[in-house]
Amino acid sequence: MTRPRVLYIMGSLAANDLGEEVVTILGRLSRSSFEPSVVTLGGREELRERVRELKVRTHSLGLVGPFGTLRAVGKTRDLIKSTGAQLVHGIGSWGGAVAQLAAPKDVAVVRTVSRPPTHEKDFRGRLLRHLENKARGRVVGTRFVVPNEGSIGLAVRAYGSPEGHVTVLPTSVDVDAVRDRVARVTREGARRLMGMGEGDVAFALISNFESGAGMDRILSGLAVARAENPNLRIFIVGSGRYEGSTRWKAEELQLGDSVVFLGQGTEAGPIWAAADVAIDASPWASWSRAALLAIAAEVPTVKMQQGVGGWSEELEESLPMVSGHPERFASDLLRLASDPESRVEILKHGARVTEQIDVRNVAERLETLYGEVIDLLQGRS
């Protein structure tokens, strides 16, 4: 019996959370059960070589601009037919909508969603919303995948999915690979590499710099905390639109080398080997991928509350959190720096999360989902 062919349809293979997630899954997906390939509609392709190293074929459509956005459905439909795919898995806004619209009735559709549809007001944004509106007419034959229980409502309300067509699969991390990278450097060596002195307490703060005001509050809180404990240091992991203004704010507050900007190096072992605590300051109501890497590396990791009321209850879990208010954030930093027992409790939460996100478990559940939707479609036909 031939293996079912699975086509992953993505806007790009950029080195971002979505791209890294797909590469991680492809590294564990059973090749004896499925034959995967990747379609990129357009955009950057930094991860293309990594996909090829996994012996996975890639198809680059090279579509750009508004006209390319519209042509994507027809071009993808032709590719689905020529490859003989039995299942398409749409990733992201553009890739997901195109997967739903391009798949023939005899091809199963899985779509991963983690954010609401785009609200950009430019011409391309309006075209993407047009595609999303059309895709809502194809939801009956689509199985949606969301990263946590709190996102089921997102698939139902924002994408029109029937409630019984939503599967929860957490964002996956190759836990063994993360720990192997961390183990290659000693904690002492990593801390020397990061320029840390004896007695320094290192916080790895994860941010996409989407809110300049939010980053200003973080730095203001650090300034307050350092007045009491000058050994506190924050290493900011990530980049984004307000990174420049955040650097200026750090200079204004005269924080000096107590704040270090590391960029996008979340895969690097020394960061997690050196960190005493990681803080996820991303604006989403779930762990960011970088935070999951920190958790997998056995770093006590907390979520920063950004003033989004009730989101932890929506997730039906108690996340270890710190405040986004400057004075309370300062108090939380001082507590985490001086209270090893609280860090141990946070690690216990992280151990439970690690078991859920390990790519071995996630890939196995995804394979089961693929088998179910293919069997269901073949039973109907």
Side-chain angles (χ1 to χ4, degrees), residues 180-367:
D180 179 65
R181 287 194 293 270
V182 172
R184 293 176 189 173
V185 58
T186 65
R187 176 172 170 82
E188 293 75 18
R191 290 169 75 87
R192 284 196 302 271
L193 183 65
M194 306 286 279
M196 295 181 61
E198 186 176 351
D200 283 353
V201 181
F203 291 88
L205 186 126
I206 298 154
S207 174
N208 63 352
F209 294 91
E210 278 297 306
S211 169
M215 293 304 296
D216 287 354
R217 289 192 293 270
I218 288 170
L219 295 182
S220 298
L222 174 62
V224 171
R226 275 181 58 83
E228 185 169 332
N229 184 349
N231 291 327
L232 301 184
R233 300 188 65 186
I234 282 185
F235 296 86
I236 303 181
V237 180
S239 62
R241 62 186 299 193
Y242 289 108
E243 182 176 353
S245 63
T246 302
R247 290 177 181 269
W248 297 333
K249 185 67 175 181
E251 293 178 6
E252 177 187 317
L253 294 172
Q254 298 182 334
L255 291 173
D257 65 358
S258 65
V259 176
V260 179
F261 294 82
L262 297 178
Q264 292 282 20
T266 57
E267 303 289 335
I271 296 174
W272 311 125
D276 294 290
V277 178
I279 300 172
D280 185 5
S282 63
W284 308 301
S286 59
W287 295 115
S288 67
R289 181 174 177 79
L292 294 179
L293 292 173
I295 290 170
E298 300 179 290
V299 177
T301 304
V302 297
K303 184 77 179 174
M304 173 170 286
Q305 187 164 15
Q306 303 279 1
V308 183
W311 58 265
S312 61
E313 291 79 6
E314 289 179 9
L315 289 175
E316 298 181 0
E317 57 181 306
S318 177
L319 295 180
M321 293 196 302
V322 294
S323 174
H325 184 276
E327 283 75 18
R328 291 196 291 271
F329 178 60
S331 176
D332 288 336
L333 288 182
L334 293 167
R335 173 178 54 83
L336 288 169
S338 62
D339 185 2
E341 291 185 3
S342 67
R343 297 200 296 270
V344 170
E345 289 303 311
I346 294 168
L347 272 177
K348 291 179 181 178
H349 176 89
R352 295 192 295 271
V353 173
T354 299
E355 184 176 352
Q356 298 168 6
I357 66 173
D358 193 325
V359 68
R360 291 174 296 187
N361 299 329
V362 177
E364 184 176 326
R365 293 174 58 193
L366 186 61
E367 291 167 10

